[in-house]
Amino acid sequence: MVWFKMMSAIEWAEKYRPRTLEDVVGNKKAVRDFRAWAEEWQSRIPETRAVILYGPAGIGKTSSAHALARDMDWDVIELNASDQRTAGVIEKIAGSAASMNTLFGSKRLIILDEADNIHGTADRGGMRAISGIIKGTLQPIVLIANDIYGLTPTIRNLCLEIKFGSVQSRSMVPALKKVCGAEGVYCSQEALLQIAENAGGDFRSAINDLQAAASGKEKLEVEDIGTAGRDVKENIFKAMQKIFKSTDCKKALESAYGLDESPEDLVHWIDENLPIQYARKDGNLEDIKTGFGYLSKADLYLGRVKKRQNYRMWRYASMLMVCGAALSKTKPYPGFIKYQQPSLWRRLGQTRSKRDMRDNIASKIGEHSFESMHYSRNNLLGLYSRMLKDEESAVEVTANLGLELEELMYLTGSAKASKKLQKIYDKAQKLLEEGKNETADPDFFKAPVPAVDNKQRTLSCPVIIQEEEEKPQKEGSAGKSDPPGPHSSERKQKTLNMGFDSLLETSEKKENSEKKENSGYLLVDDPKPAEKNLFSFSPSLLEKKNFSESVEQKTSSKPSKKGNPANNEPSKQKILDKVTPTESVQDNAGDGAKKAEPKNQKTLFDF
Ligand SMILES: Nc1ncnc2c1ncn2[C@@H]1O[C@H](COP(=O)(O)OP(=O)(O)OP(=O)(O)O)[C@@H](O)[C@H]1O
């Protein structure tokens, strides 16, 4: 039954969704700006190719976007929150739609609903994909968001921002009356006003409430409309008033029960506002003390509920906090008070987004420097932010790390996207586009290259015995400023991978010198990477090199961990393989095949 009711409630809101921009209730200026932007598209590509429609839920943002498309006779491509919206999907769907013209030259409106909700905390690829698409789109794009700050500054800089506000009650009434007329329901003016006021600016809620109240009735009077109101912010403020302004415990409790806040949330509201209310100029500190006494008792019950999972005790907690706060005043406190949202939530929200940002940057640095995110966060963030002080290196750091504008702001400690930062960001994007970043990498933030000598320039498959795992850090630490710590083994592994990457690069560069070599053995390091490399590198390379013979070697040489050639030391590792080039490889040496193998290494195939 409840389900049926919900389904039919959805129907009226859908049924009376505005067909044209004319039908959109309220927000006249926003609608005008939106239309003007679209009209510009009819003649040419406007400077701002995308708009952001933002504002609270249920006020007609999505409806306006669809209505505009209908008014303009444009096709619509929509990616809404129920679609999987990874960077790949966004690029595939929105990107391809944005980059192509339609067959008959008409426009195609690309709508990204709930755009503030696209990325997870760690992956900002979706946002980057959107900004990339906006920059080059040949089609109009509309982003829809509740929270404009949920979009990156880069995207916001590229878009025209259009704010939709809550729909006013007096604008809702005629629209609701039309719905009643269409449905053959009589509804008194007072009843309509009551519905509109209860909705708190959310027109979708107003239609849903009207439908719920009208269900099975032909006539609606104000008595038929509940006065409880919806779960909107104003309600909690009304409840605060009832608690702090009167001593009527019953009414205060009723209003608290009518809220959709759990006692765990409500306690924060009372905690925040109790001192605001009772510590006014003429306030009584005793009232605050008594009030907090009750709150602490309520808190005890909340703790017990959590511990025993017995939610029946919530009623005691509610009673203590609500009645306690109401009755603790020794005199009335008239006058307007601006009640506040719990600052604890604000603080947590603020620090959380900052923490997310910091971790996101740290993981980019980690990826780039082959360190763990944890290590980068603790040791490298400061270093990278210092590098951003110099504009030239800042561009390269930004390009190499793939930093977003707001990440640049975070690293430079800048509160807003200054012109300088925007310039750095734009240059970095240009650099990336031109593909120059690889050659422009300054050595100081490039991944350190492992020692490469002729002995190391071939690849094989190492299997390391346990003792090697405990190899002292110092062997690899020369040329590296990282302090030894609990993450040393992790760093070691990653450095090894890096070594292989660089190894491949270096092999190419030193092709000529390799021609003179005729044997090759594996670079060896600790066990995990070795396993990985066994499958990822060796077979193909071995194939290329035509290795067919094995020779047992007893010793191996190990590269400096961070790539200082001067620090190469003979390794004590045992290598289970050996490879030697076939004669044909030796013959082909002059043809430029990559093969430079040390003779003092022992590799997997030795065994
Ligand atoms: N300003 C409005 N004019 C006319 N109808 C509206 C308006 N706002 C909301 N509605 C009604 O509410 C329904 C939902 O509106 P819509 O989806 O456009 O809201 P929204 O602002 O995009 O909300 P959300 O952010 O939750 O997507 C519509 O189908 C329509 O019936």
Side-chain angles (χ1 to χ4, degrees), residues 74-193:
W74 291 348
D75 293 337
V76 170
I77 293 210
E78 186 175 8
L79 265 177
N80 55 42
S82 55
D83 301 312
Q84 198 206 0
R85 299 186 296 181
T86 57
V89 172
I90 290 169
E91 259 153 24
K92 201 170 157 197
I93 298 178
S96 61
S99 60
M100 283 187 288
N101 280 314
T102 54
L103 200 56
F104 300 106
S106 76
K107 292 283 165 226
R108 189 190 285 129
L109 186 67
I110 299 163
I111 303 176
L112 273 163
D113 208 349
E114 294 187 40
D116 48 342
N117 210 8
I118 274 174
H119 60 79
T121 49
D123 171 25
R124 302 186 72 86
M127 286 287 174
R128 202 173 311 138
I130 295 174
S131 52
I133 292 168
I134 293 174
K135 276 179 203 159
T137 186
L138 302 175
Q139 304 292 342
I141 297 181
V142 177
L143 307 183
I144 296 172
N146 290 133
D147 175 16
I148 185 86
Y149 297 104
L151 293 161
T152 59
T154 317
I155 291 184
R156 289 179 54 196
N157 282 350
L158 292 169
C159 297
L160 173 70
E161 296 175 7
I162 299 182
K163 183 175 182 209
F164 273 64
S166 301
V167 184
Q168 293 185 352
S169 311
R170 61 187 159 80
S171 309
M172 281 189 204
V173 170
L176 290 173
K177 202 170 186 172
K178 261 194 199 166
V179 174
C180 288
E183 291 295 325
V185 178
Y186 168 80
C187 193
S188 72
Q189 190 73 10
E190 295 76 46
L192 287 175
L193 197 62

Side-chain angles (χ1 to χ4, degrees), residues 12-14 16-18 23-25 56-64 113 144 146 167 203-204 207:
W12 275 20
E14 254 337 293
Y16 298 103
R17 188 184 276 276
D23 295 342
V24 174
V25 178
I59 52 165
K61 302 181 297 294
T62 315
S63 305
S64 299
D113 208 349
I144 296 172
N146 290 133
V167 184
F203 193 51
R204 178 177 24 215
I207 297 186

